[in-house]
Amino acid sequence: MNLLFIADPLAGFKTYKDSTYAMLVEAARRGHRLHAMLAGDLIWRNGKVVGHTRAITLTGGYPWFTEDVAEWRNLADFDAVIMRTDPPFDQAYLYATWLLEMAERQGARVFNRPQSLRDYNEKLAIARFPQFIAPTLVTRDSELIREFLAEHGDVVVKPLNAMGGSGIFRLRPDDANLGAILETVTRNGGETIMAQRYLPEIKAGDKRILIIDGEAVPYCLARIPAEGETRGNLAAGGTGVARPLTERDWEIAHTLGPTLRAAGLLLVGLDVIGDSLTEVNVTSPTCFQEITQQTGFDVAAMFIDALEKQVKGNA
């Protein structure tokens, strides 16, 4: 296949843990041709969505890739376009999804589906599955957050468009900085955020469950917070420990899987704390390498299998 990865700059990849890198390695191993570009290099010109793409070759050493001279190519020329740009989900990201949706209408096969990247906000999407979530409030009103905090006694607040634990705060009623924190996270009432009841099970890990083409990887990565830290995210210093899925994990995965697949979401990362679903990550889910290294289960192979199946089925 001729594959195009839309991702952040390759030179900045931490190849020892990057999931997009794992995808690239597995695709190259199978003989697929690799290309890469930045989301900012998508344009619409003469009625076509085109990208400033570069063919890349993996070296197996350092630097880990070489690239050809960039050329403008129609996205429909590729067998698959894999959108792997990290959040924040800002205006630039939104514009990229619109351009990718235009490219779909011209014959491009884009994974994950651009419309679903918009429809499944990674925080708000849990509202589609209320049977699995803890008490949650979405608002920009600080007084409503204070009422929610008074009701539950211990809550976590977070922005709706970030990743890696960025902007997350744990709040208690006696916090001397409560007012300042609420002003900061809501930008003085100008930005909507999510508040969730604090889940003490976070101490055992914030589990990342990967769903590929509607099917769960049989192992999750429990991201355990560092001492004195609320967040389990690896980017926030958490430690990742791979574990088999629990009965509850399987219940969540089996329930959500068909819905996610029908939405054109080839790869999704569910975040589960204890028995509660906390996020549905669709932009650039990670943890491929950590799970594979600790369990021997080849997550990247499962992903490329699913991608090949999708492309063959749409041929």
Side-chain angles (χ1 to χ4, degrees):
M1 297 190 296
N2 221 16
L3 303 180
L4 173 62
F5 286 78
I6 303 177
D8 296 323
L10 302 186
F13 277 24
K14 297 176 180 177
T15 56
Y16 64 92
K17 68 174 185 177
D18 193 282
S19 293
T20 305
Y21 174 74
M23 296 174 186
L24 289 165
V25 170
E26 178 61 19
R29 187 188 69 79
R30 301 185 187 200
H32 299 312
R33 296 176 298 281
L34 306 178
H35 305 261
M37 65 170 291
L38 302 175
D41 287 335
L42 286 168
I43 69 169
W44 181 76
R45 182 172 64 188
N46 299 326
K48 298 287 186 182
V49 177
V50 301
H52 208 215
T53 72
R54 288 178 167 83
I56 64 170
T57 302
L58 307 191
T59 66
Y62 183 83
W64 62 270
F65 71 97
T66 59
E67 57 185 4
D68 293 346
V69 174
E71 58 179 335
W72 293 102
R73 294 189 59 177
N74 291 345
L75 267 63
D77 292 344
F78 296 93
D79 294 296
V81 177
I82 300 94
M83 177 59 165
R84 289 286 298 173
T85 301
D86 286 342
F89 197 110
D90 53 13
Q91 282 294 111
Y93 197 106
L94 180 62
Y95 296 149
T97 68
W98 280 327
L99 287 168
L100 289 171
E101 193 170 20
M102 293 166 64
E104 277 188 320
R105 293 195 290 271
Q106 296 164 2
R109 301 183 183 95
V110 184
F111 306 94
N112 286 326
R113 183 178 295 162
Q115 179 181 339
S116 292
L117 289 174
R118 296 193 301 272
D119 290 350
Y120 279 74
N121 174 272
E122 299 190 319
K123 309 300 188 292
L124 291 174
I126 64 171
R128 297 171 181 261
F129 313 101
Q131 69 271 40
F132 296 124
I133 69 175
T136 299
L137 171 70
V138 176
T139 183
R140 64 174 62 187
D141 189 324
S142 292
E143 287 306 311
L144 292 179
I145 299 171
R146 287 177 182 271
E147 291 174 12
F148 185 78
L149 175 58
E151 178 183 0
H152 296 287
D154 198 348
V155 306
V156 169
V157 294
K158 53 188 173 182
L160 300 179
N161 66 345
M163 62 170 284
S166 176
I168 293 179
F169 292 89
R170 180 180 177 185
L171 303 180
R172 297 181 180 87
D174 60 352
D175 193 326
N177 295 309
L178 178 59
I181 292 172
L182 293 179
E183 290 170 5
T184 299
V185 296
T186 67
R187 297 189 180 182
N188 292 305
E191 184 163 319
T192 300
I193 66 165
M194 174 174 283
Q196 291 176 317
R197 186 185 69 195
Y198 174 72
L199 297 168
E201 297 93 336
I202 183 65
K203 295 175 182 177
D206 179 357
K207 295 177 286 187
R208 167 58 55 84
I209 301 171
L210 293 169
I211 308 292
I212 298 175
D213 200 19
E215 300 294 330
V217 172
Y219 300 92
C220 67
L221 191 75
R223 296 160 297 172
I224 301 170
E227 186 68 28
E229 182 52 88
T230 298
R231 303 165 298 172
N233 309 76
L234 301 182
T239 300
V241 179
R243 297 173 180 159
L245 300 191
T246 66
E247 183 177 344
R248 175 67 166 184
D249 295 339
W250 280 115
E251 180 187 2
I252 294 172
H254 286 151
T255 302
L256 273 61
T259 300
L260 300 172
R261 186 180 192 277
L265 294 167
L266 184 66
L267 174 62
V268 178
L270 306 179
D271 286 351
V272 174
I273 298 175
D275 289 338
S276 298
L277 176 70
T278 61
E279 294 187 13
V280 179
N281 295 277
V282 300
T283 52
S284 56
T286 60
C287 300
F288 277 38
Q289 294 205 54
E290 293 88 347
I291 291 173
T292 298
Q293 290 162 4
Q294 294 183 38
T295 69
F297 184 91
D298 196 331
V299 182
M302 181 177 174
F303 175 78
I304 299 298
D305 283 345
L307 185 66
E308 291 172 342
K309 180 180 176 181
Q310 284 283 337
V311 171
K312 183 178 180 180
N314 292 326

